[in-house]
Amino acid sequence: MRVPLLLQVLRGSRDPRACSAAEWGRLVQQARRAGLLAELARRLEGAEADLPEGARHALRWARAAKARQDQLLRWELQCLLEALAPLGIPVGLLKGAAYLAAGFAFARGRLFHDIDLLVPAAALQRVERALFVAGYVQVDADPYDQRYYREWMHELPPLQHARRGTLVDVHHGLAPPTSRYAFPAERLFPAMVPLEGTDLPLVPRRLGDEDLVLHAALHLYTESEFRHGLRDLLDLCGLLGEMERRRAEFGGRLVARARALGLARPLYLALRHAAWLLGDARAGALAARLEADAPWAVGVYDACFGRALLPAHPDCEDAFSGLARGLLYVRGHWLRMPLRLLVPHLARKAWRGMKAERTP
Amino acid sequence: MADALAFRVGPWTVRLHTPLPEVRRTAAFLYRDYPRPGPEAFVDYEIALLPGRGGRRWWRPQVRFLFEGQEPFAPLTRAQAYPFFEWGLNWCLAHHTADYLVLHAAVLERDGRALVLPGPPGAGKSTLCAALALSGWRLLTDELGLLSPADGCFHPLPRPVSLKNAAIDVIRRFSSAAALGPSCHDTHKGTVAHLRVPAGAVAALERPARPGRIVFPRFVPGLAGLRAGRLERARALVQLAEQAFNLALLGEAGFEALCALVDGTEALTLEYGDLAPALAWLERAHP
């Protein structure tokens, strides 16, 4: 498979300003499918005068959509934190919301789909009640799903604001308790960093520097679906750059923290693939320090992730892309829970899918 | 898969990929006069219309609409394939631009000035629009009015006019020049057929029009004569804002564009039960 245009541009091995109109068409499609059109717009800010008019139109739209989304996110955070302020608990922001509130430059083109919060497990019930009062209700009242989340997952079933439709995930850990990579979430809280200067009703926190990177890696490498995989990989590179600028010898601390939390393997894979797919030298150097934590069949991981992380675009697919996505889907579930739980769960999902097909 | 069909609609290029013969036939008929960009062109919207998955290809067959590899809508029955393409494309065009405020309105031009007919489905704007387009007015759009905040003009996006139920025969009787595509029965809007845009309107794809008059039409079955009224600017602004697809995306620029529109253009209401007097009234009311 040839290296997709989007990857070439992200790596810097291809100057998008030299792309033809038809190539730009494909580039926009690939970026849109990967959720990276706003990122492309961010990178080309001020340098798009000579692009085909259609490309400029798409980038203008992406920029407007991103601005609108940031505005909505800020408002939603305001509402969420107002509801949680009286509880007097530490409230963590994860992923996109944290990057935006922290003002990380690399995330200025990042789109997101929901807001992820991290709260202490002991406060979960109070949090859910406070959010309910503020209008955030369960999206899916199916009793099986409810039980599945509450018993086995590291987050509440997704909440949605009844009128605004915003989706909120309330986490009490970074991995399901039954996961291979589970660790006590209490270990995260002492390292968390307050996000000052946001004008929000309470000062939210983000994960500690190393934990931010570890979460990005863990999230990516325990997922079952990879529609935003490339974006998550870019997040990881962006975070590495951000942290290394702040602190010398960040790499050593990251490696030590990964080993202490038992997350060296997902971190290794994320770094390896960031170096390989995105040409990120920083990630490559760090991956070399984690060689001891590589899985033995690393070639299989490369073959699968090297396909699943690409945008779902005909230019980026080959005969094995479907198989790779399928294998990783099963793997994601298998990492999440032991077989004795997994088999009945997947069987149930499949049965429900078939039933839904039959009743249009 | 068979060759894709690419055509230029207004400021954008659409490419339709589909193996469904009825869709290819109808699209080729309705878009006959549109400019056809070659393979080296930038394509704004790649749309695929595909048969249902698995058994739904044959058994109670379905059709799927794909934009950028995603399915923004649930599949529909195969009988609705062509209207599905037009509806889906409307959604794509309305939600992926920040250059225009997209208003749910029909827009036609005469003597250099645009007549804007906003209205929710069922207000009768499609019927009026089709009849006007067949009586010498230039059709800019039957559904998505592109108002540019930059120049305050409406920009053309002429697409086949979607006619529903009784309106199909009304328009067929109205003019022998009406080129209608096949009727699709049992859609969620009833029977639907599309009117091909007159070649003259397609040829003027690049020519915007300054707003001249805003008329909110309402079809009242059985009404003898017409009931016309004037709409205050503030009310017109609110009603137009309700018909805007992407006002939130454009934010202040969109709001300013709407204000400028109602400041410079008189807004009227028109209730009608019969086509001919309504058309005559619109002719007279046009600046």
Side-chain angles (χ1 to χ4, degrees):
Chain A
M1 185 180 5
R2 284 185 313 139
V3 178
L5 207 46
L6 177 63
L7 271 196
Q8 294 180 27
V9 167
L10 292 174
R11 278 179 192 176
S13 63
R14 181 78 186 266
D15 182 355
R17 285 167 301 176
C19 288
S20 71
E23 283 175 321
W24 257 105
R26 275 158 48 217
L27 189 56
V28 167
Q29 288 157 37
Q30 292 175 13
R32 230 198 266 272
R33 289 178 194 209
L36 289 173
L37 194 55
E39 170 64 12
L40 209 56
R42 178 183 77 87
R43 292 179 180 218
L44 284 163
E45 185 100 60
E48 51 203 85
D50 299 327
L51 302 186
E53 170 48 30
R56 297 201 342 247
H57 172 256
L59 295 177
R60 283 194 296 270
W61 172 78
R63 219 167 265 137
K66 168 67 183 160
R68 170 72 180 149
Q69 197 185 52
D70 284 1
Q71 185 189 34
L72 286 176
L73 178 82
R74 288 212 173 83
W75 169 243
E76 205 64 45
L77 280 179
Q78 184 84 26
C79 299
L80 276 168
L81 297 182
E82 211 164 82
L84 296 178
L87 303 186
I89 54 162
V91 177
L93 303 179
L94 300 174
K95 299 192 278 185
Y99 307 156
L100 182 86
F104 291 151
F106 76 87
R108 278 203 305 247
R110 188 190 194 275
L111 295 177
F112 42 81
H113 300 273
D114 43 22
I115 298 179
D116 298 282
L117 302 180
L118 178 70
V119 299
L124 215 46
Q125 211 176 10
R126 285 192 298 147
V127 167
E128 191 175 2
R129 199 172 308 159
L131 290 181
F132 179 81
V133 171
Y136 299 91
V137 296
Q138 295 291 337
V139 176
D140 180 6
D142 181 78
Y144 177 78
D145 286 342
Q146 287 283 330
R147 219 190 100 201
Y148 169 79
Y149 272 98
R150 287 167 199 279
E151 243 172 75
W152 306 115
M153 285 292 107
H154 55 299
E155 56 188 318
L156 290 176
L159 299 173
Q160 187 169 37
H161 193 273
R163 256 180 309 177
R164 293 191 296 274
T166 342
L167 288 166
V168 180
D169 284 333
V170 180
H171 300 248
H172 52 87
L174 299 189
T178 50
S179 155
R180 187 133 335 164
Y181 297 114
F183 61 89
E186 296 84 70
R187 299 184 65 178
L188 297 170
F189 283 93
M192 279 164 80
V193 179
L195 295 166
E196 309 281 359
T198 54
D199 282 343
L200 291 164
L202 74 84
V203 177
R205 299 164 199 227
R206 65 161 170 88
L207 294 174
D209 294 355
E210 298 81 28
D211 295 346
L212 266 182
V213 178
L214 288 173
H215 182 218
L218 179 68
H219 178 69
L220 187 53
Y221 281 83
T222 53
E223 269 301 293
S224 303
E225 276 161 274
F226 296 87
R227 211 144 59 84
H228 302 115
L230 204 54
R231 182 202 67 188
D232 293 350
L233 208 58
L234 275 175
D235 281 352
L236 185 98
C237 298
L239 285 169
L240 279 180
E242 184 80 33
M243 296 310 161
E244 286 201 343
R245 260 193 300 115
R246 290 170 183 229
R247 201 184 250 165
E249 228 339 74
F250 173 72
R253 300 168 63 105
L254 176 63
V255 169
R257 181 72 168 171
R259 295 211 165 112
L261 294 179
L263 300 178
R265 177 172 292 186
L267 179 62
Y268 169 78
L269 285 172
L271 293 169
R272 179 185 171 89
H273 292 154
W276 170 43
L277 294 172
L278 296 171
D280 191 286
R282 236 183 246 116
L286 274 171
R289 293 163 76 164
L290 281 160
E291 282 297 341
D293 299 281
W296 63 269
V298 75
V300 178
Y301 286 85
D302 291 349
C304 290
F305 282 107
R307 290 182 169 81
L309 290 176
L310 299 184
H313 185 269
D315 287 355
C316 313
E317 310 220 305
D318 65 13
F320 300 103
S321 296
L323 178 67
R325 291 206 169 92
L327 285 174
L328 290 178
Y329 179 80
V330 174
R331 172 182 175 271
H333 279 87
W334 173 65
L335 285 176
R336 222 172 288 161
M337 40 181 26
L339 270 184
R340 70 188 160 79
L341 297 175
L342 178 59
V343 171
H345 174 61
L346 287 183
R348 185 154 190 141
K349 276 182 85 163
W351 169 242
R352 216 165 42 175
M354 271 158 52
K355 265 205 315 204
E357 266 289 293
R358 270 186 300 170
T359 44
Chain B
M1 195 185 290
D3 286 349
L5 176 74
F7 49 90
R8 187 97 185 133
V9 284
W12 303 304
T13 296
V14 174
R15 192 153 56 192
L16 169 64
H17 307 255
T18 182
L20 308 179
E22 77 275 28
V23 175
R24 298 178 65 83
R25 240 186 348 259
T26 309
F29 172 77
L30 293 172
Y31 288 96
R32 186 189 69 183
D33 305 320
Y34 288 66
R36 293 283 161 77
E40 70 295 336
F42 178 93
V43 176
D44 298 87
Y45 300 97
E46 298 269 10
I47 311 286
L49 229 67
L50 301 179
R53 280 185 194 286
R56 297 312 283 270
R57 182 184 280 262
W58 301 282
W59 180 67
R60 288 205 270 157
Q62 287 183 330
V63 58
R64 296 178 295 139
F65 180 96
L66 279 89
F67 169 57
E68 302 293 5
Q70 310 267 352
E71 286 185 54
F73 318 102
L76 291 182
T77 56
R78 173 81 182 253
Q80 304 183 66
Y82 189 77
F84 197 16
F85 164 63
E86 292 284 343
W87 296 328
L89 182 57
N90 279 344
W91 177 86
C92 293
L93 299 175
H95 290 98
H96 294 90
T97 184
D99 286 18
Y100 305 99
L101 185 69
V102 185
L103 294 172
H104 193 196
V107 182
L108 300 109
E109 176 260 352
R110 224 193 49 192
D111 306 328
R113 306 296 292 271
L115 165 67
V116 185
L117 301 167
K125 73 177 156 48
S126 290
T127 319
L128 276 182
C129 169
L132 289 166
L134 291 165
S135 339
W137 293 66
R138 171 167 71 104
L139 178 72
L140 276 82
T141 177
D142 82 311
E143 195 100 46
L144 304 174
L146 302 182
L147 176 62
S148 160
D151 61 14
C153 288
F154 280 91
H155 289 241
L157 182 65
R159 301 255 314 286
V161 184
S162 159
L163 296 169
K164 284 136 234 156
N165 303 317
I168 301 170
D169 278 332
V170 169
I171 292 303
R172 198 168 273 147
R173 278 198 306 272
F174 180 79
S175 165
S176 55
L180 284 156
S183 293
C184 294
H185 306 283
D186 299 323
T187 78
H188 68 274
K189 298 185 178 184
T191 300
V192 172
H194 289 84
L195 170 74
R196 181 161 70 200
V197 177
V202 177
L205 218 50
E206 315 260 344
R207 186 151 49 91
R210 227 154 26 96
R213 191 73 85 225
I214 306 166
V215 178
F216 288 85
R218 200 160 78 87
F219 175 68
V220 182
L223 178 70
L226 301 168
R227 273 201 299 256
R230 188 160 281 140
L231 203 59
E232 292 167 52
R233 280 183 305 164
R235 226 176 264 285
L237 179 77
V238 172
Q239 293 196 12
L240 283 167
E242 280 171 10
Q243 300 298 324
F245 288 102
N246 59 347
L247 186 55
L249 182 77
L250 267 72
E252 209 180 325
F255 181 74
E256 294 293 341
L258 268 190
C259 290
L261 175 64
V262 297
D263 273 343
T265 321
E266 195 182 25
L268 306 168
T269 59
L270 176 67
E271 294 184 323
Y272 72 101
D274 229 340
L275 199 51
L279 294 176
W281 186 89
L282 286 169
E283 300 267 350
R284 281 198 309 277
H286 199 61

